[in-house]
Amino acid sequence: LKRQGKAGRAVFRKIIDREKEGKLATNVGFIRQSVALLSRGDALGIFPEGLWLNPERKIKLREKPELKQAYKGMELVASQYKKLTGEELPIVPTAFIEDRKLGKKKVVIGKQLFLSENNSQLNDTDWCMSHVAGMLPEEQRGYYKEVAEEK
């Protein structure tokens, strides 16, 4: 929250508070801006875990890097994009792999997904994250280790 400035902290504090109350943790402005960018052909990167938003979910350097449960922002953006354009939004799962012992980092890009392809019991966000988890080493799959789609 410190990096966001005073205005940013207020917005993100509302999101965090809504989530704590069990409500959908969303920022309508973010959704609208994201859909506007995508509808004009721009690309958008979303980090579904949102770790930098909530100080209670921050990863400490000593903690092993592993996936946490994702927020549903990606799913909301995709549904609003479809409402606006009538088209499905392609989602490209991307995994960031870090070996802290060796000091090496790697990016793995998966094949694009469409939410309509989800024929699992998982919600769309968890289904997408299962693909990300499948690109990670087993010890970094965290919350998604049981449902990882092996690639």
Side-chain angles (χ1 to χ4, degrees):
L1 289 174
K2 290 179 184 175
R3 296 187 300 196
Q4 303 310 316
K6 191 174 184 177
R9 283 194 299 274
V11 169
F12 296 124
R13 174 55 45 204
K14 287 179 187 176
I15 294 170
I16 292 165
D17 291 344
R18 278 195 302 262
E19 183 185 68
K20 284 181 180 177
E21 294 169 7
K23 297 176 183 171
L24 194 57
T26 153
N27 179 330
V28 174
F30 164 76
I31 303 291
R32 287 182 181 148
Q33 291 170 357
S34 298
V35 171
L37 288 170
L38 292 164
S39 65
R40 73 176 194 203
D42 290 346
L44 176 69
I46 295 178
F47 292 83
E49 294 171 281
L51 296 176
W52 59 279
L53 285 180
N54 189 339
E56 295 159 14
R57 292 181 73 182
K58 278 186 183 173
I59 293 179
K60 296 179 179 76
L61 285 177
R62 287 184 215 99
E63 238 180 87
K64 61 183 178 178
E66 61 179 37
L67 288 178
K68 308 293 185 224
Q69 184 177 13
Y71 293 99
K72 295 187 177 188
M74 160 184 48
E75 195 173 329
L76 292 169
V77 168
S79 70
Q80 292 302 308
Y81 178 84
K82 187 170 185 174
K83 280 183 186 177
L84 178 70
T85 66
E87 300 174 4
E88 263 199 281
L89 181 66
I91 296 171
V92 181
T94 305
F96 296 89
I97 302 171
E98 180 179 13
D99 184 331
R100 291 184 178 167
K101 290 178 185 171
L102 299 176
K104 295 188 178 208
K105 298 175 184 180
K106 178 169 114 174
V107 176
V108 180
I109 300 172
K111 74 173 191 93
Q112 73 179 10
L113 306 172
F114 293 95
L115 297 183
S116 64
E117 298 170 343
N118 179 7
N119 57 7
S120 74
Q121 298 294 320
L122 300 171
N123 66 51
D124 289 337
T125 297
D126 287 345
W127 178 72
C128 290
M129 292 300 289
S130 73
H131 285 80
V132 173
M135 295 185 282
L136 291 169
E138 196 168 331
E139 66 274 5
Q140 293 182 6
R141 294 176 181 173
Y143 182 83
Y144 297 97
K145 69 182 169 192
E146 301 297 322
V147 295
E149 292 279 336
E150 299 287 341
K151 301 293 163 236

